[in-house]
Amino acid sequence: MNAFLNKWYKNHALGYKILLYLVTTLFIVYLFPKTGKFRYSFEKSKPWQSENLYAPFNFAIKKSSDEIEKEKREIKEQSQVYFDINKDIKSQVLSDYQVRFNQVFKDSNAVVSIKNSNLYAKGKSIINKLYNPGILDLEYGYSDDRTIVLAISNKVQNELQYGSINQLGELRELIEKDLGNSLYEDEKKRMISIFFDVIKPNISLNKILSDKVLEEELSKISLTRGQIEKDQLIVSKGQVIESDQYDILSSLKSEYESHIWNTKNYNWVLVAYTLLVALALLMLLLFLRKYRIEVFLDNTKVTFIFFNIALMILLTTLVINFNSQYIYVVPLCILPLVLKAFFDARLGLFAHVLTVLLLGFIVPNSYEYMFLQIIAGMVTILTVSELYKRANLFISVGQITFIYIIAYFAFFVIHEGQLTGIKWETFGLFVLCGLATLFVQPLIYMYEKIFGLVSDVSLLELSDTNSKLLKELSNRAPGTFHHSLNVANLAEASANEIGANAMLIRVGALYHDIGKMKNPTYFTENQSTGINPHDELSSKESAKIIINHVINGIETAKKYKLPDRVIDFIRTHHGTSLVYYFYMKEKATNELVDIKNFTYPGPKPFSKETAILMMCDSVEAASKSLKEPTSTKINDFVENIINKQMEAGQFLNADITFKEIQSIKKVLKHKLANIYHLRIEYPE
């Protein structure tokens, strides 16, 4: 058991990568639509690009959603509506009418006059008329010619038109019309008040029965129209897809996808999706393993890359599920931007292309989409430089948006052969995509805090010489600070010459000697009084103090929370070189001197940037000892120092070539010549 645990502990980094790989693969497959992928792409009114298509099996032609909705509307407009009628209300109203009439129309002897008797009869006639067929309780908004059914306890009584039923809002007008102008105004008002006191609606909607009948009618709607037989020609190559063929193709696509994913083939298709996604992600891991080993060995960075790929696929999937027309709103170019900011352009483009290939499984018009996104990704990589400069980002986003528009315009003309019918709103989506891409700046900041990575934006902040740590260095070790500034200038020029990360190396150079703040006077550049404290120490003790400035620098950097990419410069700027002066001094008195006590612990530089810093640091520090420098002396001096470092194998772990080292030598010679102001000697 212990052996197993020890083995697992030694290989836990690899185990984590395998787990991350599997989880990301399954997550992406889970996001994929749970349908098969129809092998053909087609659009209405556009030519069929593939070979002649014959029906692979019998299938029904499905009606379009518009057709089904139209049939539903027609059924809803024609469906019978059921109303309940209460026959007892009329009798109750007549009884109430008699009582109320006698209360309102009686003489001083409390005897109803002949005139009142006629008025009573007229009112009774109006009530009978109103309740034939009846009075609605509410306004339901049906058309006047809509057929309705009157029922008592769900038993049909008769059918009539909705407009023939009296409504409460129309009663006053009907009553006034029937009363006529033969009555006095006072009598007319009293009669109207009687009617409104006693009249009650006796017809109300039976919603349950009406909805039940409507559902039965809607359930009878057929979702298909016609049948396509097996081996029947559906569309010929080059034929323009009209409305009928489009419906047939859509039906075939739907039938094909549901047929595959609802049968025993489902598991096989799922396995096939998993294999393709796993293959794509494996290519990414192999790329990192072969060309970006420092990224591959860092689990945080690998997690960061996989997370961003999965995030882009998730966003695209959500948009497609909402409305696939908005697919171009997803700012996919954020992916190469982010990866280029934290790593490099090559990795950014590689990951972007793999992501687009994976999205090709789920997007409509996959070829057009993939072409546009890959071209946009290339433009992103080629145009975006120095992301910390806001103007550069805005210019690059404008160029990306322009490329989107040009590519979409070209595809539309190819498909349509004309400009008529072009979807201008799609251009607006590209503009929105460009604006969304600007979110990369705050996103980079969040990623720095979450994953502990460093971008050029953070490097720009760290390069400010007014920062707390650099100000402390300038106060406590002014000579070292001045030395660091000179090294930064030399290193930046060298990095620009060979295409290395100039911003990163400048920051590394500014902080590489911060460990000297602990014992500043033990370093010659800070000895302004002429007193050398090493005179009172043994060579071994002096060498230990000199060597410890690397360890002290790492501790100080961690205390001030400098990024690991910057700490790497502190750790490697002397590599495994020898403190030569004190070693030779000790050797003069002790032939058995242990060389390990005078050797820096390393590691050796492992990148172009750290290798450049080692060269520039050694050359700048040693240049202070040049007496009466000439062009020849400077050339020999630079060659000698860097050649010794190469002979000691200090650059074996760095991905730097001999050609690049020669270019760096030329830059250093030129810069040192300018620093020492070499001039032609004029005759006196």
Side-chain angles (χ1 to χ4, degrees), residues 414-617:
I414 290 172
H415 290 158
E416 299 289 342
Q418 57 183 0
L419 295 179
T420 306
I422 192 169
K423 297 178 182 179
W424 297 104
E425 60 270 18
T426 307
F427 295 152
L429 298 180
F430 292 139
V431 174
L432 290 176
C433 177
L435 294 176
T437 305
L438 295 174
F439 183 69
V440 69
Q441 284 283 19
L443 187 64
I444 287 174
Y445 177 79
M446 289 188 289
Y447 279 156
E448 288 178 336
K449 300 304 178 184
I450 296 172
F451 291 94
L453 301 174
V454 183
S455 69
D456 285 351
V457 179
S458 293
L459 292 177
L460 180 65
E461 295 174 355
L462 290 172
S463 67
D464 183 7
T465 54
N466 287 318
S467 65
K468 183 178 180 181
L469 183 54
L470 290 181
K471 287 187 74 172
E472 184 178 352
L473 176 64
S474 67
N475 291 331
R476 296 178 60 179
T480 299
F481 177 72
H482 185 263
H483 159 72
S484 298
L485 287 177
N486 289 338
V487 173
N489 292 331
L490 293 174
E492 185 176 16
S494 301
N496 287 327
E497 182 68 22
I498 66 170
N501 190 332
M503 178 60 71
L504 174 62
I505 197 171
R506 180 172 184 83
V507 173
L510 288 173
Y511 291 91
H512 78 283
D513 270 345
I514 56 174
K516 293 181 178 180
M517 286 192 296
K518 187 171 184 179
N519 299 296
T521 57
Y522 284 86
F523 300 91
T524 56
E525 66 266 24
N526 300 310
Q527 295 171 359
S528 57
T529 60
I531 299 174
N532 189 347
H534 286 289
D535 294 340
E536 300 176 1
L537 301 175
S538 67
S539 299
K540 186 176 179 180
E541 291 173 328
S542 296
K544 184 178 180 181
I545 292 174
I546 299 297
I547 291 172
N548 281 346
H549 88 274
V550 173
I551 306 300
N552 296 333
I554 294 173
E555 293 174 352
T556 304
K558 289 183 176 179
K559 177 182 176 182
Y560 282 85
K561 297 181 179 180
L562 292 183
D564 288 339
R565 291 177 75 186
V566 177
I567 296 177
D568 287 340
F569 287 93
I570 302 174
R571 185 181 289 112
T572 62
H573 75 278
H574 283 294
T576 56
S577 59
L578 187 68
V579 184
Y580 189 75
Y581 176 81
F582 291 108
Y583 172 72
M584 296 305 296
K585 185 178 178 182
E586 178 70 13
K587 193 173 183 180
T589 58
N590 180 13
E591 288 291 334
L592 300 177
V593 59
D594 187 355
I595 195 172
K596 292 182 179 179
N597 294 327
F598 297 86
T599 304
Y600 285 98
K604 297 176 181 179
F606 49 79
S607 65
K608 288 182 181 180
E609 288 77 16
T610 51
I612 291 172
L613 178 64
M614 177 182 240
M615 290 183 248
C616 295
D617 180 44

